[in-house]
Amino acid sequence: MSTHPSSAASSNPLETERAHLAESRAALRAMREHTESLDISDVTANWVNAEVLASEMEQRIKALADLAGTPLFFGRLDFHQRVDAEGEHGFRFYIGRRHVHDASGDPMVIDWRAPISQSFYRASKKEPMDVELRRRFGYDGGELTAYEDEHLTDPAEEDTGSALLQREIEKPRVGPMRDIVATIQPEQDEIVRGALGETVCVQGGPGTGKTAVGLHRVAFLLYAHRERLARSGTLVIGPNRSFLRYIEQVLPTLGELEVKQATVDELVGHVELRSTDDARAATVKGDARMAQVLRRAVRAGVTLPTEPVMVVRGSRRWRIPAYELAELVEELLARDMRYGAAGEALPQRIAHLVLVRMEQSGEAPDDRVQNAVARNPAVKAAVKAIWPTVHPAKLVLRLLSDAAFLAEQADGILTPEEQRAILWAKPPRGIRTARWSAADAVLIDEANDLVTRTGSLGHVVLDEAQDLSPMQYRAVGRRCGTGSATVLGDIAQGTTPWATRSWAEALTHLGKPGAHVEELTLGFRVPRQVISYASRLLPAIAPELTEATSIRESAGSLTVRRVVEAELDAAALDACRAALTHEGSTGLIAADDRLPALAAALAAAGLPYVGPGQETSAEVRLTLVPASLAKGLEYDYVVLDEPDAVVTGEPDRRTGLRRLYVALTRAVSGLTVVHARPLPAELG
């Protein structure tokens, strides 16, 4: 493998490639201008279709934007030449973020998601996939500066690894998360290009690229199944808004502008959240057994009739005895129907019994008569008494505030101690005054689905899934009940009291028990010294997991410094100043209760900083991060303040050690640990 930087010795090939880049950008501009010039004023039958078409054209124009500083193509494939009667022919394709063609329709850049592009990611000397030459390009901003060639069919060329690939992985990170389209590895590509109907769970250690794999999988599925997913929809679910702001630019850089993003709390946002449960209450509310309690509670108001229904039509009266009505109700209860749908079916079933009697007496009623009977006041009154309307929020309110009602519905499911844990100490007057928690909102969502079926999307990406409760998994699973999902997480990073214990259990709660689990163990982001240091915690927090390894080895990337208590703040600031002398972003991560002191120290020292989720810039490259929000984020340099405070800030030691594991693995280039207290014994 040979790398060719910009120099006189290699100027001709570089100039040729730069010329192709310029021509490709010109072709992309022409494609956009052509789309903008299209007259669509008289091509639709009505104004509704016109609005839809105009919106689609607007999205198309946006997707054809040439993003400044973003390479239009990053690779080239030269396939084996063939010789036939017409002469010698070669096949050459440039691989990039989107398709670009010239005025004749010939491709100048092939979308990375196209089938032929697969060879760029998976071809090797062992399996060249008919590729003779793979060329990678190096960029500085949008300017092409170097190229690197791999002759996959040349046995004499030694495989020394890609310097450009390594450089791209290690490129300083300022601002939001970048795409990894130029650096996707074969094992990642297999997951990215999985079938739409396939639900996959990706267990990945820190820096293995699981989040990027999930986002690129969405982009691939939208490319391969655009029409189908345009109808059914896609969604990316993250742990918090800070995380979603960090990843929100990845899909637009790949030309996908319409993928919605949400947190689980936003997904089930039926009520305003005004309270926080303690760990015990949240754990019980998040337990899958609550689904059984709610199912009972939803049907608790159903009453078997004891009186007949008398339907008057004209001069005739039709009597349906109580035992026949009871049979209808028992049949509906036995079926796996939504409560609301069953309630709508009951008057039609009663009306059908009336019509049978009409036909037996010689009448010939039709569907209009059945609908009229179903709306008869006597039938409506009977249905209201037998099958009362259920309001999900009111039902959960009663369940959490009425001890007798909860005891009746949870009998044999929750212990008396568990029931007491979730009962509100002071029952609210009503829905508006209730202090709902995030776990309560999930219960309301479950109750809502028991009444009315939740709509399903075509594909859902669920990131940082290890922190979800079983009831939250159920809430997400409802959103992809007839679709598929990509589940991303790391059991070792689970920091909630109800954190996932096994992916098999989690996938069952999600409603996808047949999904397969892929494990990514090769890291690209975290330096080898850092991931090795953090992995000392694995025997205590997740002994069943394979330790992640890293392809990167940066000299001097790990520093552990002990100071006296009085100098801790100053030492943390000194470490930040040292990190800021390097290019890229710096994150100061600390236990949540340490943030006020560090914020004051930063302000006094005149060191500007932003909070997690806020975008850094060339002027402000330091982020002050509470350990509770560090998950999923990454910084070129990390200063970790007082590890023992991170551990003891959690309700139990195992959770605290998992929180520390997360904090230790946020660094891309360097980690400095500053501490006054002794380090946790598990670090060795």
Side-chain angles (χ1 to χ4, degrees), residues 226-239:
R226 188 166 304 280
E227 193 170 314
R228 180 174 170 184
L229 289 177
R231 293 193 303 268
S232 57
T234 53
L235 177 68
V236 174
I237 302 173

Side-chain angles (χ1 to χ4, degrees), residues 534-601:
S535 293
R536 296 179 184 182
L537 299 174
L538 282 179
I541 61 176
E544 71 279 10
L545 293 184
T546 303
E547 179 180 330
T549 58
S550 178
I551 66 169
R552 302 178 55 213
E553 186 164 5
S554 305
S557 58
L558 173 64
T559 303
V560 181
R561 184 182 305 157
R562 185 166 188 178
V563 298
V564 297
E565 185 75 34
E567 297 175 1
L568 183 59
D569 292 356
L573 266 59
D574 287 343
C576 289
R577 291 190 187 95
L580 290 168
T581 62
H582 302 284
E583 187 181 359
S585 59
T586 296
L588 172 55
I589 303 177
D592 291 30
D593 59 4
R594 282 276 296 148
L595 252 63
L598 290 172

Side-chain angles (χ1 to χ4, degrees), residues 23 55 82 116 196 198 224 249 267 287 385 403 412 443 450 454 459 491 539-540 563 571 580 589 592 601 639 641 659:
E23 292 167 4
S55 176
R82 74 174 193 274
I116 199 167
L196 173 59
E198 181 179 87
Q249 292 304 314
L267 205 63
D287 194 294
L443 297 181
L450 288 167
T454 304
H459 192 78
I491 288 177
V563 298
L580 290 168
I589 303 177
D592 291 30
V639 177
D641 171 270
R659 184 77 71 191

Side-chain angles (χ1 to χ4, degrees), residues 181-193:
V181 64
T183 63
I184 293 173
Q185 298 300 294
E187 64 273 19
Q188 295 173 325
D189 190 63
E190 285 188 30
I191 299 170
V192 166
R193 295 177 191 268

Side-chain angles (χ1 to χ4, degrees), residues 231-466:
R231 293 193 303 268
S232 57
T234 53
L235 177 68
V236 174
I237 302 173
N240 52 60
R241 268 289 140 194
S242 296
F243 177 84
L244 292 177
R245 282 193 293 269
Y246 176 62
I247 68 170
E248 66 184 356
Q249 292 304 314
V250 173
L251 289 168
T253 63
L254 299 174
E256 300 302 339
L257 308 173
E258 293 298 296
V259 180
K260 293 181 173 59
Q261 297 181 343
T263 65
V264 173
D265 288 350
E266 292 167 346
L267 205 63
V268 299
H270 303 287
V271 291
E272 181 183 355
L273 304 185
R274 301 167 57 194
S275 181
T276 303
D277 288 313
D278 60 40
R280 176 59 173 163
T283 301
V284 176
K285 290 178 182 179
D287 194 294
R289 291 174 296 159
M290 287 301 299
Q292 302 174 50
V293 175
L294 287 166
R295 186 177 181 84
R296 280 187 187 175
V298 164
R299 298 174 171 222
V302 176
T303 305
L304 292 179
T306 57
E307 299 292 332
V309 170
M310 189 70 70
V311 177
V312 178
R313 282 189 58 81
S315 60
R316 302 291 300 271
R317 293 188 178 191
W318 308 98
R319 182 178 180 275
I320 307 298
Y323 78 88
E324 286 193 43
L325 295 173
E327 288 174 356
L328 287 181
V329 174
E330 288 173 344
E331 179 192 348
L332 289 172
L333 286 172
R335 296 184 61 183
D336 189 22
M337 292 179 68
R338 293 300 189 276
Y339 184 87
E344 292 172 359
L346 182 56
Q348 290 290 337
R349 298 290 182 88
I350 296 173
H352 176 73
L353 293 178
V354 173
L355 260 66
V356 169
R357 284 163 169 75
M358 289 181 175
E359 291 169 347
Q360 289 172 345
S361 69
E363 295 188 23
D366 56 20
D367 289 345
R368 289 175 298 176
V369 175
Q370 178 166 333
N371 290 333
V373 172
R375 295 192 298 269
N376 184 278
V379 174
K380 291 171 69 175
V383 169
K384 185 177 181 180
I386 296 169
W387 204 278
T389 301
V390 170
H391 187 291
K394 289 180 179 177
L395 179 77
V396 174
L397 179 70
R398 183 184 177 193
L399 202 63
L400 299 178
S401 57
D402 185 336
F405 183 63
L406 175 61
E408 182 182 355
Q409 308 313 316
D411 182 40
I413 300 175
L414 301 180
T415 66
E417 292 77 14
E418 289 173 325
Q419 294 174 36
R420 285 194 292 272
I422 65 175
L423 271 171
W424 286 337
K426 185 179 180 181
R429 297 178 183 175
I431 293 176
R432 293 185 179 181
T433 59
R435 296 183 61 80
W436 299 106
S437 68
D440 297 335
V442 178
L443 297 181
I444 294 172
D445 190 70
E446 179 83 26
N448 188 70
D449 184 69
L450 288 167
V451 175
T452 307
R453 185 182 298 275
T454 304
S456 175
L457 297 163
H459 192 78
V460 169
V461 173
L462 175 61
D463 206 352
E464 300 296 349
Q466 73 280 342

Side-chain angles (χ1 to χ4, degrees), residues 444-504:
I444 294 172
D445 190 70
E446 179 83 26
N448 188 70
D449 184 69
L450 288 167
V451 175
T452 307
R453 185 182 298 275
T454 304
S456 175
L457 297 163
H459 192 78
V460 169
V461 173
L462 175 61
D463 206 352
E464 300 296 349
Q466 73 280 342
D467 281 328
L468 267 60
S469 70
M471 290 298 287
Q472 287 175 317
Y473 276 116
R474 290 176 61 87
V476 174
R478 287 191 282 277
R479 270 74 184 179
C480 55
T482 59
S484 57
T486 301
V487 181
L488 312 166
D490 180 10
I491 288 177
Q493 296 185 55
T495 51
T496 54
W498 49 85
T500 300
R501 291 173 294 186
S502 77
W503 289 122

